[in-house]
Amino acid sequence: MHSDQIAKAIKITAQLMELHEQNPFKIKSLASAAFNIDKLNVDLSGKTLDELEALPGVGKSIAAKMIELNNTETLQELNQLLVETPVGVIEMLSIKGIGPKKVRQLWKELEIESIGELLYACNENRLVTLKGFGQKTQEEIKKQILFLNASKGKCLFAEVEQYANELIQTIKNHLPNVLVELTGQMRRKCEIIDVVEILIGTENQLNPLEIMHPNKVKIELIYCKPDLFYKMLFEATAASDFPLSTFNYPENIDKEESIFTFNHLQYIAPELRENAAIIALASENKIPELITYADLKGTLHNHSTYSDGSNSLKDMALYCKLQGWEYLGICDHSQSAFYANGLKPDRVAAQHAEIEHLNKELFPFKIFKGIESDILYDGSLDYDADTLKSFDFIVASVHSVLKMNEEKATQRLITAIENPYTTILGHPTGRLLLSRQGYPINHKKVIDACAANGVVVELNANPYRLDIDWRWIPYCLEKGVMISINPDAHETAGFFDMHFGTLAARKGMLSKEKCFNVLNLEQISKHFASKNTESIKF
Ligand SMILES: [Zn+2]
Ligand SMILES: [Zn+2]
């Protein structure tokens, strides 16, 4: 084996031993041996034990390991450590600036088991509470992770939207009077993007622009003659399962709508052009008017400095009032969420007192007393009945012990949904896009339970979550279950995520009539009150 490979194997062994808090003397000698071997830059195949032992920093036991590596290309000790460590935790060791000790803290104290989860925790400001970490470390880690993710070629819609819009503008500036539009995944508002496609209708091609998205997502410029622009736009927008071949084209298309009229179909918004199912609805004129961001009347499920948010309750409320919204549902974390400074009953009472005070001050704007109650392992909520009763509404979410099979996860959610105090089921699968799959659930059973218990399903609008997946919204609607587009904002800037939530909701064909937070203050107050009366009866 080459000395580089041997050094690498010994180094990772030392790191993993440190991660598992094994003998510090052994760790130190392995680390320093790896450091020395790394500098050799020679092939060490076929060396004898004596020869290896003579190398600087290499003692008898390390020389034996090198022999083992030479003979078997692996180390038993290393293999054992690898088996005992989640893959995502091993990947975390590759982040610059955090050594094994810090990775262990993240893993054991915050239950973070992947780089994706770590990024999410940084965004939620969770690291600052850990011993030896601080705001600066958190920022540095976040920067490192974004850098690592950047090389993978895929990114969230939210990470590329602004860039794509600016690019369109640049092209328009270069080529005034040409037709330019985003097409493909971007125009369909897909939650994950691997190529940004831009259609340009022009007789002349541009001089190559210097274009490279910072996340290295592919950018494709598609050229066509101006008179073919709308036909091309229509074709390039469609997903591969959308039945393009069934369409006929009129002559001289001057807008996309003409293609639908010509085929006796209702206009199908780009977001909905995913597959053939939409055609039947369009032929019967049954596609509803899709929800828009401007339809939203308020925002539910948000955090403040009472738990793990960065802005005070008052700042969050003032910001919402300024947006013209009628209400803010504040849902800090419940008592079990110690990592997020969850609220014990005395702090719940203190927050309620502040809310009452602020509601007088900000009238007619209203802050609703909510909580994001952890769904405990057995499906119960995180407070006694007296405390639960004191909230206007409750978002119930799973945050701990995410490793469950489908049966367990489904039952855990259903138990929470059947709890008479649950108003909204929060981020139903716990997924983090591009980084964590989420626990498996039987969506139909969960949604059926929501229907039976008058529980609203959250579409968590954080672009990392977009959970419930838009593909399940039609089933919710079929069962009469309302969808709440909740930003889960941890700072005032987080409210903007409702933009991404609305885009996902549109892909799920949500109309404003079926969206919970399109209800105005009076309507939603009534809903909360009726749910509470039912709870008391129960
Ligand atoms: Zn949550
Ligand atoms: Zn939350």
Side-chain angles (χ1 to χ4, degrees):
M1 246 182 171
H2 193 273
S3 55
D4 289 357
Q5 288 168 290
I6 291 183
K8 212 170 151 191
I10 294 179
K11 186 181 169 193
I12 182 78
T13 307
Q15 284 182 317
L16 288 173
M17 285 173 69
E18 198 177 349
L19 185 75
H20 289 275
E21 290 187 328
Q22 296 185 5
N23 182 340
F25 299 106
K26 211 172 148 191
I27 294 166
K28 212 170 172 191
S29 84
L30 280 170
S32 85
F35 181 78
N36 284 310
I37 296 165
D38 191 42
K39 287 191 293 192
L40 297 175
N41 197 19
V42 288
D43 190 356
L44 295 173
S45 314
K47 300 273 182 201
T48 65
L49 192 67
D50 288 344
E51 285 169 325
L52 293 171
E53 217 184 313
L55 294 169
V58 176
K60 203 174 219 120
S61 81
I62 287 165
K65 285 193 184 0
M66 294 168 79
I67 294 280
E68 187 187 346
L69 276 165
N70 267 337
N71 292 342
T72 67
E73 298 198 330
T74 160
L75 278 180
Q76 265 195 2
E77 193 173 11
L78 174 58
N79 290 341
Q80 186 52 40
L81 287 161
L82 288 172
V83 168
E84 290 165 12
T85 322
V87 180
V89 174
I90 297 169
E91 282 172 1
M92 276 156 61
L93 289 169
S94 67
I95 299 170
K96 266 193 240 156
I98 44 172
K101 275 204 186 72
K102 283 203 160 65
V103 171
R104 183 183 168 85
Q105 271 181 288
L106 294 165
W107 175 29
K108 296 293 177 184
E109 292 175 39
L110 296 184
E111 293 185 18
I112 292 170
E113 293 196 354
S114 74
I115 290 181
E117 289 177 1
L118 180 56
L119 176 59
Y120 196 79
C122 291
N123 286 336
E124 288 204 333
N125 215 21
R126 295 231 172 114
L127 270 52
V128 292
T129 55
L130 283 185
K131 201 175 158 218
F133 287 73
Q135 198 74 41
K136 243 189 180 162
T137 318
Q138 180 172 276
E139 276 312 306
E140 200 46 47
I141 291 173
K142 192 173 157 178
K143 253 206 298 208
Q144 284 291 333
I145 297 175
L146 290 174
F147 179 78
L148 281 176
N149 283 348
S151 53
K152 286 185 199 150
K154 269 188 184 182
C155 71
L156 301 178
F157 179 88
E159 291 172 319
V160 82
E161 183 190 31
Q162 194 191 349
Y163 173 81
N165 288 334
E166 285 169 7
L167 191 52
I168 295 269
Q169 202 46 55
T170 309
I171 295 172
K172 283 184 174 165
N173 294 344
H174 273 71
L175 295 174
N177 306 321
V178 299
L179 297 162
V180 185
E181 278 220 47
L182 281 172
T183 182
Q185 298 168 351
M186 285 301 294
R187 188 159 182 247
R188 294 202 312 280
K189 311 288 196 279
C190 293
E191 61 272 45
I192 293 168
I193 301 290
D194 56 32
V195 55
V196 174
E197 292 167 281
I198 296 174
L199 180 65
I200 306 171
T202 174
E203 299 288 350
N204 314 302
Q205 296 210 352
L206 280 173
N207 292 329
L209 281 172
E210 191 55 47
I211 46 177
M212 174 57 90
H213 180 253
N215 280 15
K216 293 189 189 138
V217 164
K218 225 177 15 183
I219 312 280
E220 258 179 47
L221 302 184
I222 308 165
Y223 292 95
C224 69
K225 300 254 184 264
D227 56 339
L228 291 177
F229 184 79
Y230 290 102
K231 181 170 185 276
M232 277 297 289
L233 180 63
F234 173 71
E235 289 182 347
T237 300
S240 54
D241 287 344
F242 186 78
L244 276 181
S245 58
T246 63
F247 280 80
N248 298 307
Y249 297 97
E251 279 176 39
N252 305 324
I253 310 168
D254 62 353
K255 55 181 187 299
E256 224 186 12
E257 282 83 348
S258 313
I259 300 171
F260 293 94
T261 316
F262 191 74
N263 287 276
H264 308 288
L265 289 173
Q266 183 185 3
Y267 177 72
I268 302 173
E271 294 94 317
L272 300 178
R273 297 181 208 163
E274 288 290 337
N275 54 49
I278 194 71
I279 303 287
L281 286 177
S283 67
E284 294 175 35
N285 216 27
K286 279 189 176 160
I287 302 174
E289 193 178 325
L290 303 181
I291 186 169
T292 67
Y293 186 80
D295 293 326
L296 304 174
K297 296 284 194 309
T299 169
L300 305 168
H301 186 174
N302 301 289
H303 300 261
S304 73
T305 44
Y306 273 90
S307 64
D308 59 351
S310 315
N311 287 109
S312 69
L313 178 55
K314 184 171 182 177
D315 285 348
M316 294 294 271
L318 284 172
Y319 183 90
C320 291
K321 195 179 177 189
L322 206 65
Q323 302 304 304
W325 293 326
E326 298 177 17
Y327 51 87
L328 160 69
I330 203 78
C331 293
D332 277 306
H333 285 283
S334 63
Q335 55 187 348
S336 290
F338 62 90
Y339 54 83
N341 194 20
L343 275 58
K344 300 256 183 249
D346 59 322
R347 294 181 61 231
V348 170
Q351 189 181 57
H352 287 182
E354 188 183 347
I355 290 175
E356 279 157 30
H357 172 78
L358 284 171
N359 278 343
K360 281 186 197 136
E361 194 179 321
L362 303 176
F363 184 84
F365 182 86
K366 180 157 182 173
I367 306 169
F368 284 110
K369 298 168 188 164
I371 195 82
E372 181 175 20
S373 172
D374 266 32
I375 298 175
L376 305 179
Y377 193 64
D378 64 359
S380 59
L381 298 185
D382 198 12
Y383 293 110
D384 61 24
D386 278 342
T387 311
L388 291 172
K389 230 181 268 178
S390 70
F391 298 107
D392 291 320
F393 75 108
I394 289 171
V395 174
S397 313
V398 169
H399 290 116
S400 58
V401 204
L402 304 181
K403 278 190 195 126
M404 298 176 278
N405 63 25
E406 182 179 308
E407 196 189 348
K408 169 67 195 173
T410 303
Q411 192 48 53
R412 188 171 170 188
L413 292 193
I414 290 175
T415 304
I417 291 162
E418 287 173 345
N419 189 306
Y421 294 105
T422 300
T423 322
I424 300 176
L425 175 64
H427 44 71
T429 72
R431 76 176 183 184
L432 297 177
L433 289 169
L434 294 178
S435 54
R436 181 170 83 199
Q437 266 208 314
Y439 38 85
I441 61 168
N442 183 321
H443 279 83
K444 286 195 175 175
K445 281 188 185 167
V446 168
I447 294 165
D448 289 348
C450 288
N453 293 279
V455 167
V456 174
V457 167
E458 170 173 283
L459 195 178
N460 191 295
N462 186 308
Y464 288 88
R465 292 190 183 267
L466 298 175
D467 181 14
I468 193 165
D469 191 293
W470 59 265
R471 292 159 189 84
W472 284 101
I473 294 178
Y475 187 75
C476 291
L477 300 178
E478 190 187 318
K479 295 287 157 178
V481 172
M482 287 189 103
I483 304 289
S484 193
I485 300 177
N486 295 345
D488 201 352
H490 285 69
E491 55 184 328
T492 53
F495 289 116
F496 180 70
D497 286 353
M498 288 203 293
H499 163 67
F500 303 113
T502 306
L503 296 181
R506 287 171 63 88
K507 283 187 83 59
M509 236 192 308
L510 186 68
S511 65
K512 67 175 177 184
E513 288 76 20
K514 301 291 157 61
C515 177
F516 192 53
N517 53 317
V518 165
L519 297 181
N520 65 28
L521 178 58
E522 193 191 332
Q523 292 165 324
I524 208 156
S525 302
K526 261 189 201 154
H527 181 102
F528 290 155
S530 70
K531 183 86 193 172
N532 274 350
T533 345
E534 281 164 33
S535 312
I536 291 159
K537 264 189 274 166
F538 192 88

